[in-house]
């Protein structure tokens, strides 16, 4: 058996999600090749070659890959799949964008956001915002899978696989990249941060979100998250959203501030190791899953916590 | 330009799903159902494009049981023009839905298909991308803004690091994220008017699509329960507790 893993990277560096997807591919079994499709992405390809358990890295250069356009990645991967039994991608926005195109072209029903590999055709995945865990068995000859990073331990960077180059498919493609607006931050990336501080609707404005949440996050060296309500209201940018349709996180410590705990939010953080909730509403559902609950006014509690840490 | 909008009937997002005792699935008997929230956003976007004069006709499609007709009616009351119900009692997987939609696209020739990015029941996030691949169309998934730009469609996408904008040649598929718009409530007169709009009923066989599932459900289980912990009195106690738990 052989598995092709799609690397998540920004050309300069490999994203942690790749090492976690390789871990899931190891549980599946067989030889593991990692595809690094990018633009000036040699550094990412070299980093992928160090991942433990990887047979080889296939490095493909092309301008259309600088931002991982789904149309281009599909054109690249589909012909390659004649040599593989499975395609694994991280369940990041890149993986979610690309993998179903590849599955459809291979006439395979994709298995989304797996949290466990049972055997080479059976997987566990959460459904209904994590309120149920389905075990599904695929009847397709080839498997197309996306992997929920929080469920797998990243493989170490102790390997030394070879790096091969392969040709990019000829364009043009029907989609072109125009621009991007990425959040620039020195804080840890939300999806892989060991600690996360999240703010909700109770922050009441973007100014107060920044004034109360960010200093606490910085004191703890934490990533910053937000509830959907806070993002919808414009208090925090979209990529902060934790939940069923946002990011799924499972840090060592998750501090939920002014978040009531709708099931859609809990879906994104309830696998955190320790959950702290700070909320003035004693009845808030977040308290039903919090390890430590502090009832009170966040505008008094958070500055005190920040100064005493 | 004609727009096709697929809509799915799912559990109401405010209802907490319960796993059946026999582990075969989630109990949907006597549960309130609704249009998938992301599909509502897709309908709303199509209606807004029609109000701007970019779109001339909105065709709604649902693949599901007879009751999915109610879901189409909601979309018609929001501003859709007509509906197609592809009726089946099979729980149709995204791949088969995409194949049915591809056949409907062949017949209807829309310039744009707007789908929700995912359904809140199976959380698959696949149908729009699969449809785009089957048609060899470009896609703008997880859209938070959509605008015509000459003969192209400019789509701003919610991605992990922030926002990405792509330019798509038409025809294309767009899948909606939460911030694209806020769907309207249908007014009573529009609900009455929607009752007169036409819904054609078809079957998957009419489109030559085999909807036999590729994934079999071995079991469906409750997730590991998390118990409520303890209330702490003040910040000092919280810090002490976190220290003894090794969290800080």
């Amino acid at each position: 058996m052989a598995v092709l893993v799609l690397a998540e990277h920004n050309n300069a560096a490999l994203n942690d999600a790749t090492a976690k997807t390789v871990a899931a591919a190891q549980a599946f079994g067989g030889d593991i090749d990692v595809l690094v499709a990018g633009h000036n992405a040699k550094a990412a390809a070299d980093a992928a070659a160090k991942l433990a358990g990887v047979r080889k890295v296939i490095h493909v250069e092309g301008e259309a890959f600088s931002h991982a356009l789904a149309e281009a990645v599909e054109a690249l991967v589909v012909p390659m799949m004649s040599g593989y039994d499975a395609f694994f991608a991280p369940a990041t926005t890149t993986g979610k964008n690309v993998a179903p195109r590849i599955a459809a072209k291979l006439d395979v029903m994709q298995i989304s956001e797996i949290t466990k590999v049972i055997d080479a055709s059976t997987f566990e995945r959460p459904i209904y915002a994590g309120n149920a865990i389905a075990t599904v068995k695929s009847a397709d000859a080839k498997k197309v899978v996306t992997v929920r990073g929080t469920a797998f331990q990243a493989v170490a960077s102790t390997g030394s696989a070879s790096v091969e180059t392969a040709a990019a498919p000829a364009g043009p493609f029907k989609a072109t990249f125009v621009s991007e607006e990425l959040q620039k931050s020195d804080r840890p990336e939300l999806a892989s941060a060991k600690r996360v501080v999240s703010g909700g609707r109770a922050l009441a404005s973007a100014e107060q979100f920044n004034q109360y949440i960010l200093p606490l996050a910085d004191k703890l060296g934490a990533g910053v998250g937000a509830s959907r309500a806070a993002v919808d209201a414009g208090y925090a940018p979209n990529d902060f959203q934790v939940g069923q349709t946002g990011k799924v996180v499972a840090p060592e410590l998750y501090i939920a501030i002014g978040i009531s705990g709708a099931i859609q939010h809990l879906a994104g953080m309830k696998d955190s190791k320790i959950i702290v909730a700070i909320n003035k509403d004693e009845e808030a559902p977040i308290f039903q899953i919090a390890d430590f609950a502090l009832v009170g006014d966040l505008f008094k509690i958070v500055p005190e916590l920040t100064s005493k840490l | 330009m004609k727009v096709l909008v697929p809509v799915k009937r799912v559990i109401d997002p405010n209802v907490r799903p319960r796993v059946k005792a026999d582990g075969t699935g989630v109990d949907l008997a006597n549960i309130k159902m609704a249009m998938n929230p992301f599909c509502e956003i897709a309908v709303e976007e199509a209606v807004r494009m029609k109000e701007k004069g970019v779109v001339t006709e909105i065709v709604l499609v649902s693949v599901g049981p007879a009751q999915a007709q109610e879901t189409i009616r909601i979309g018609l009351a929001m501003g859709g023009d007509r509906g197609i119900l592809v009726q089946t009692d099979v729980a149709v997987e995204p791949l088969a839905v995409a194949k049915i939609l591809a056949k409907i696209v062949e017949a209807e020739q829309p310039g744009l298909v707007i789908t929700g990015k995912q359904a809140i029941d199976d959380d698959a996030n696949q149908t729009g991308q699969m449809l785009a691949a089957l048609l060899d169309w470009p896609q703008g998934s997880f859209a938070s803004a959509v605008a015509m730009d000459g003969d192209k469609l400019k789509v701003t996408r919610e991605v992990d690091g922030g926002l990405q904008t792509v330019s798509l040649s038409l025809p294309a598929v767009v899948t909606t994220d939460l911030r694209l718009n806020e769907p309207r409530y249908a007014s009573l007169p529009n609900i009455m008017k929607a009752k007169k709009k036409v819904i054609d009923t078809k079957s998957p066989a009419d489109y030559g699509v085999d909807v036999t599932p590729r994934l079999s459900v071995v079991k469906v289980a409750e997730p590991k329960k998390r118990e409520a912990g303890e209330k702490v009195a003040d910040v000092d106690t919280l810090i002490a507790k976190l220290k003894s738990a090794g969290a800080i």
Side-chain angles (χ1 to χ4, degrees):
Chain A
M1 274 204 317
V3 185
L4 184 65
V5 169
L6 180 70
E8 174 90 17
H9 63 87
N10 66 356
N11 298 305
L14 199 63
N15 186 295
D16 196 38
T18 310
K20 291 171 172 173
T21 305
V22 169
Q26 278 183 340
F28 178 82
D31 295 319
I32 299 166
D33 294 348
V34 176
L35 173 63
V36 178
H39 190 52
N40 301 323
K42 188 172 182 305
D46 289 343
K50 294 200 179 81
L51 295 178
V54 172
R55 176 174 65 176
K56 69 176 178 197
V57 170
I58 303 164
H59 176 198
V60 178
E61 278 290 319
E63 213 172 329
F65 299 120
S66 60
H67 298 91
L69 288 177
E71 297 76 5
V73 178
E74 176 213 307
L76 171 65
V77 171
V78 171
M80 291 173 75
M81 284 306 292
S82 59
Y84 293 95
D85 303 287
F87 176 77
F88 275 45
T92 54
T93 48
T94 305
K96 290 173 181 177
N97 190 34
V98 168
R101 283 193 82 105
I102 292 162
K105 277 291 166 71
L106 297 173
D107 193 26
V108 165
M109 176 56 206
Q110 175 180 314
I111 305 143
S112 294
E113 298 225 17
I114 62 158
T115 49
K116 194 172 179 184
V117 178
I118 310 276
D119 62 38
S121 55
T122 315
F123 307 88
E124 273 185 20
R125 57 177 304 264
I127 55 174
Y128 289 87
N131 282 294
I133 308 295
T135 304
V136 294
K137 192 175 169 70
S138 165
D140 289 314
K142 289 184 197 288
K143 316 298 180 211
V144 174
V145 169
T146 62
V147 176
R148 179 171 286 191
T150 54
F152 295 89
Q153 193 83 43
V155 297
S157 287
T158 52
S160 56
S162 59
V163 179
E164 281 179 12
T165 55
F173 301 100
K174 291 173 182 170
T176 51
F177 170 79
V178 177
S179 62
E180 66 187 359
E181 261 176 72
L182 300 184
Q183 297 294 327
K184 285 189 187 64
S185 165
D186 297 330
R187 292 189 189 89
E189 190 203 11
L190 178 57
S192 55
K194 294 219 173 349
R195 295 168 176 172
V196 171
V197 177
S198 272
R201 199 205 312 256
L203 271 304
S205 71
E207 292 71 34
Q208 296 191 131
F209 189 97
N210 293 338
Q211 185 186 338
Y212 288 87
I213 300 297
L214 303 188
L216 177 58
D218 289 342
K219 200 79 179 259
L220 287 165
V224 179
S227 68
R228 178 192 167 182
V231 176
D232 281 359
Y235 307 162
N238 66 279
D239 55 302
F240 280 21
Q241 187 185 319
V242 171
Q244 180 183 18
T245 64
K247 290 198 177 80
V248 177
V249 302
E252 305 279 316
L253 175 63
Y254 188 90
I255 305 185
I257 297 170
I259 292 177
S260 63
I263 52 175
Q264 289 80 5
H265 183 76
L266 303 187
M269 46 66 78
K270 68 185 161 77
D271 291 328
S272 304
K273 198 159 167 226
I274 291 178
I275 297 172
V276 173
I278 299 170
N279 202 303
K280 70 171 191 290
D281 175 10
E282 219 168 314
E283 303 297 315
I286 190 86
F287 286 136
Q288 290 164 18
I289 63 153
D291 298 284
F292 301 113
L294 189 43
V295 180
D297 180 3
L298 75 90
F299 297 108
K300 289 197 185 103
I301 293 170
V302 174
E304 186 188 346
L305 181 60
T306 306
S307 72
K308 285 183 174 168
L309 278 170
Chain B
M1 179 168 70
K2 188 195 281 188
V3 172
L4 196 75
V5 182
V7 293
K8 187 176 184 184
R9 179 178 183 265
V10 298
I11 190 168
D12 185 287
N14 300 310
V15 173
R16 191 185 174 83
R18 302 268 172 217
V19 173
K20 284 192 220 168
D22 64 1
T24 56
V26 166
D27 192 2
L28 295 177
N30 304 314
I31 294 285
K32 190 175 175 220
M33 304 294 278
M35 187 190 289
N36 178 44
F38 290 95
C39 302
E40 280 185 330
I41 296 171
V43 175
E44 176 66 33
E45 196 62 21
V47 174
R48 289 186 189 190
M49 289 176 92
K50 194 176 173 191
E51 287 167 348
K52 280 186 203 144
V54 180
V55 161
T56 50
E57 189 187 19
I58 301 167
V59 181
L60 306 176
V61 181
S62 194
V63 179
Q67 299 93 315
Q69 196 174 122
E70 297 158 21
T71 312
I72 295 174
R73 289 279 172 217
I74 297 167
L76 294 175
M78 288 172 70
D81 292 299
R82 62 188 170 88
I84 301 170
L85 170 64
V86 183
Q87 195 178 325
T88 169
D89 288 323
V90 176
V92 185
E93 292 171 340
L95 179 63
V97 173
K99 287 178 181 178
I100 291 169
L101 293 174
K103 292 288 183 187
I104 294 175
V105 165
E106 254 173 48
E108 294 281 344
Q109 298 285 315
L112 180 65
V113 178
I114 311 179
T115 74
K117 81 164 179 179
Q118 80 189 61
I120 60 160
D121 50 4
D122 61 14
D123 285 333
N125 194 335
Q126 299 175 8
T127 305
Q129 298 91 313
M130 285 182 158
L131 175 64
L134 293 176
L135 295 167
D136 273 316
W137 287 8
Q139 71 191 36
S141 59
F142 328 143
S144 65
V146 174
M148 288 299 298
D149 180 27
D151 60 348
K152 306 268 187 183
L153 190 72
K154 226 176 180 176
V155 180
T156 302
R157 309 178 50 235
E158 295 202 355
V159 296
D160 284 339
L163 298 170
Q164 180 192 67
T165 302
V166 291
S167 172
L168 310 179
S169 64
L170 291 171
V173 174
V174 166
T175 83
T176 62
D177 216 318
L178 293 169
R179 259 69 61 177
L180 183 57
N181 60 51
E182 205 167 307
R184 70 194 65 195
Y185 290 104
S187 66
L188 191 60
N190 285 340
I191 292 171
M192 299 312 287
K193 260 192 263 171
K195 290 186 177 167
K196 295 202 188 77
K197 292 181 181 173
V198 177
I199 299 179
D200 284 328
T201 302
K202 302 276 190 183
S203 75
D206 292 338
Y207 299 103
V209 175
D210 177 5
V211 295
T212 310
R214 306 285 188 84
L215 302 182
S216 53
V217 176
V218 179
K219 66 168 182 185
V220 174
E222 293 268 359
K224 244 192 330 212
K225 278 258 183 306
R226 224 190 145 103
E227 299 300 324
E230 55 182 311
K231 278 218 170 93
V232 292
D234 51 33
V235 168
D236 293 327
T237 320
L238 176 63
I239 291 174
K241 294 276 184 192
L242 288 176
K243 277 191 175 144
S244 70
I248 54 172

